[in-house]
Amino acid sequence: MTPKEVLAFAKEQGAKMVDLKFLDFLGTWQHFTVPLSELGESDFENGYGFDGSSIRGWQPINASDMLVIPDASTAVMDPFMAVPTLTMICNVTDPVTKERYTRDPRYIAQKAESYLKFTGIGDTAFFGPEAEFFIFDDIRYDGGSNFGYYYIDSVEGAWNTGRDEGPNLGYKPRHKEGYFPVPPVDSQQDLRTEMVLYMEQVGLAVECQHHEVATAGQAEIDMKAAPLVKMGDNLQWYKYVVKNVARRNCKTVTFMPKPLFADNGSGMHIHMSIWKEGQPLFAGDKYAGLSEMALFAAGGVLKHAAAICAITNPTTNSYKRLVPGYEAPVNLAYSSRNRSASVRIPMYSPSPKLKRLEIRFPDPSCNGYLAFSALLMAALDGIENRIHPGEPLDRDIYAMTPEELANVPSTPGSLEEALNALEKDHEFLLKGDVFTEDVISKWIEYKRENEVDAIRMRPHPHEFKLYFDI
């Protein structure tokens, strides 16, 4: 829509308020709301002011003024507001220079799309994330200098088979057996369907929904692939819808990669392909029906995977999921069909349009704009420098001996390791000024000071079981 069309649409829908959404540095939507009377065509150029020093990882207090510029093409009605509310995703701009803000994740994604076109390799990069999440009934957590705890509960939790629920009807998925029995064991079918219907209401194209492997309400809803920036927008709507539908049903949702001990964590497998002039470029006559370009793209992703993890797996909790010897794909190899490889080539259909890479190590705690951009930049680096990924690994990686695995590299074992890798290996992200040195250094600084140090300085409850009586 154009600005004029947005104003007509708002009037047609009976909107009374306008909600302006933008993404902070780490990946959480922020917003503020103005009356519809405050929205005119000029505001799509002049924008609205806000305090950038109050946004995580952004401006210092002495240079705090920022502008959000509504993107007319993103206008929809917000389905969760009691008063009819038009909402738009915004770009962030400096009010003095009128230049785009380099730490705005959406701007980074837009620059990644522009760089793809600049290279001449392709003109569109499609992304299809499979974001998993948990739907819980109760979550409590707190900590101080002398205590720390969390408590999770779910009516589906395997630990509740003996609870007096007046009556307890059973039907609770056992650990690792949630994929995917029919109701009544799957108690959240209708809830996930409600989420899908709201997603469609805001313009998302959904392929399917289902229970995931873990007990206690692990779920997945899959969206159809879309171009990079559009999918960044879609992933934010996805998280927003899921959380708000859950809350309306007295449930709560988390995209933490590993909230439960002794069961599967939540990943976000990301499907990626590059197209040019409406034609897919990843289909060919090489391994698993890939083109040589697609193999080089896989080579770039695998070469830079350790650094990419600092963006695609950006929390200390991410590495509770990426643990060798379990189901998470920590081994940096590629394969057709083999889900234990960190880069898989899905073999569901022979159609060239569906030929793609599935990168399996990312998780849904990431900032989608940054994660998709980093993966595209790694793939382009692989293509430009003809980085071959080596031989495919079609064996069951988890059945291989330590000696056989010795030459198979792994993802980092901690966020600290991933940040160290990003510090050493980020030249590929700087091409085309997509990421900047400022963005990379601020990301590393923020993560080290606010997350890595915060976790490693605190005693863990399980340490008391191990060490209190020594």
Side-chain angles (χ1 to χ4, degrees), residues 23-27 105 235 311 314 365-372 443:
L23 198 67
D24 74 6
F25 198 40
L26 301 185
L235 184 59
I311 297 170
S365 68
C366 71
N367 179 328
Y369 297 108
L370 300 185
F372 305 149
W443 183 265

Side-chain angles (χ1 to χ4, degrees), residues 14 209-210 242 246 282 319 321 365 375 391 409:
Q209 60 93 340
H210 59 83
V242 164
F282 277 11
Y319 300 89
R321 168 181 170 260
S365 68
L375 288 170
E391 294 301 312

Side-chain angles (χ1 to χ4, degrees), residues 12 44 138 149 167 189 292 296 315 317 341 440 457:
E12 175 189 317
F44 290 88
D138 190 39
Y149 73 89
Q189 167 72 14
E292 186 177 54
F296 292 149
T315 70
N317 186 255
I440 298 297
M457 291 170 64

Side-chain angles (χ1 to χ4, degrees), residues 399-447:
M400 294 172 65
T401 66
E403 292 75 20
E404 292 172 317
L405 280 172
N407 295 320
V408 181
S410 297
T411 55
S414 67
L415 178 58
E416 184 175 20
E417 287 183 31
L419 293 170
N420 291 341
L422 178 61
E423 195 168 45
K424 295 175 182 176
D425 176 26
H426 61 260
E427 289 295 324
F428 69 100
L429 296 174
L430 303 179
K431 293 179 181 178
D433 201 37
V434 173
F435 289 78
T436 62
E437 286 285 3
D438 170 69
V439 166
I440 298 297
S441 62
K442 187 61 181 181
W443 183 265
I444 293 170
E445 174 193 319
Y446 186 94
K447 289 286 177 177

